[in-house]
Amino acid sequence: MPRPAALPRALDTPPPAPRTARPDEATALAALSRPFVRSGALRERPVSLYAAHAADFLVLEAPDGTLDGCVGLRAYPADAREDGELAGVVYNFCVAAHRQGSGAGAGLLRAVLVTARARSLGALFTATTGSAGLFLRHGFTPTAAHRAPRTWAQSLDPRRDARVLIRTW
């Protein structure tokens, strides 16, 4: 019986694990997000915000050093929620067009879930104007904005008609 051909080395090497962004990558984070801002899927954020909050972001770095994806995770204190539980918000989640459908987004989301558990966040929230399919496949469910951290929920633009989702453990 013939043996299957060996995979080229590039296909058989696992993709790099997501890592925390660095402040000097703020311009790259903004550039990666720009197509999603133009489409209305993301809110525009200044480069200075990406620099100030670089530690919020997990990124996927391509072999050439460019960023293929990013996702922010911000923790909110317990008093920021109606039920008093420590929570987090997943935001600015995007994957470069050439990596969409490759599992890159799922890898980033799994990394966020691991990070949230390690930080003892009892719930994760996100808002999306898209189908939410990836979030739903990873245990998020629709919820009301008032269950989320107050300052984040108040920052949502009602004109965007985003769905709020929650993931608990």
Side-chain angles (χ1 to χ4, degrees):
M1 176 175 259
R3 296 179 65 202
L7 288 173
R9 185 77 183 130
L11 294 178
D12 128 16
T13 304
R19 64 166 175 79
T20 303
R22 300 181 309 264
D24 66 343
E25 294 175 309
T27 300
L29 288 166
L32 178 64
S33 303
R34 198 165 295 119
F36 299 90
V37 170
R38 282 194 297 265
S39 75
L42 289 179
R43 290 189 286 185
E44 187 165 15
R45 293 174 170 86
V47 171
S48 61
L49 186 136
Y50 289 108
H53 296 283
D56 282 0
F57 286 89
L58 294 177
V59 296
L60 285 178
E61 185 175 356
D64 68 0
T66 60
L67 298 184
D68 280 346
C70 69
V71 60
L73 172 62
R74 181 164 305 143
Y76 284 81
D79 64 353
R81 282 200 52 216
E82 186 177 79
D83 64 7
E85 185 175 29
L86 188 62
V89 170
V90 175
Y91 71 101
N92 205 103
F93 189 5
C94 56
V95 174
H98 69 276
R99 289 293 308 272
Q100 292 180 12
S102 71
L108 277 169
L109 189 52
R110 283 191 301 272
V112 162
L113 294 174
V114 168
T115 302
R117 280 189 227 127
R119 292 183 184 174
S120 300
L121 301 179
L124 278 185
F125 292 87
T126 196
T128 182
T129 58
S131 72
L134 181 63
F135 290 108
L136 297 172
R137 286 191 299 278
H138 283 84
F140 283 79
T141 57
T143 192
H146 72 82
R147 293 186 61 202
R150 282 188 270 296
T151 54
W152 176 76
Q154 291 168 352
S155 76
L156 296 173
D157 183 348
R159 295 171 297 181
R160 297 187 73 230
D161 199 29
R163 291 195 296 165
V164 176
L165 304 170
I166 185 173
R167 167 74 155 80
T168 58
W169 335 110

